[in-house]
Amino acid sequence: MSILIKDTTREERIEIVRRSLEDCDEGCESFMSNDVDEMYQPYIDGIKELREINAEQSFNFVVSEKEMPGRHGCGMGVR
């Protein structure tokens, strides 16, 4: 199944985002908030693809413990 905007309806995109967030690891619990709704709204509205939104957010990830000692998890809750 394609998740591209051109291949989905608005309702399908809402469901894709909802299902994806349900599958989030325990380390991302703090990130699941209204910020998520705002972050993925451009995808739901058909403005930006998921890959674009996720690429923008990847700048917040912690790559390794050596780079930032004491930081653990996916970094999604850190800004």
Side-chain angles (χ1 to χ4, degrees):
M1 176 183 131
S2 174
I3 60 170
L4 295 175
I5 290 169
K6 69 180 182 89
D7 297 331
T8 56
T9 65
R10 186 176 203 289
E11 291 74 25
E12 288 170 329
R13 292 190 295 273
I14 291 169
E15 182 65 16
I16 290 165
V17 169
R18 187 191 62 76
R19 279 186 288 128
S20 296
L21 294 175
E22 285 178 355
D23 292 339
C24 187
D25 292 336
E26 289 181 25
C28 298
E29 288 172 353
S30 64
F31 185 67
M32 297 181 79
S33 68
N34 288 337
D35 291 341
V36 171
D37 295 337
E38 291 174 19
M39 184 174 104
Y40 288 109
Q41 196 62 48
Y43 172 67
I44 292 169
D45 293 339
I47 298 168
K48 287 185 181 180
E49 294 290 352
L50 281 176
R51 64 177 150 48
E52 294 174 287
I53 294 169
N54 290 332
E56 291 169 1
Q57 292 299 314
S58 70
F59 292 110
N60 293 325
F61 288 159
V62 175
V63 176
S64 72
E65 176 71 15
K66 288 181 182 180
E67 290 180 33
M68 298 187 81
R71 300 267 305 270
H72 302 285
C74 66
M76 293 294 286
V78 180
R79 294 196 180 223

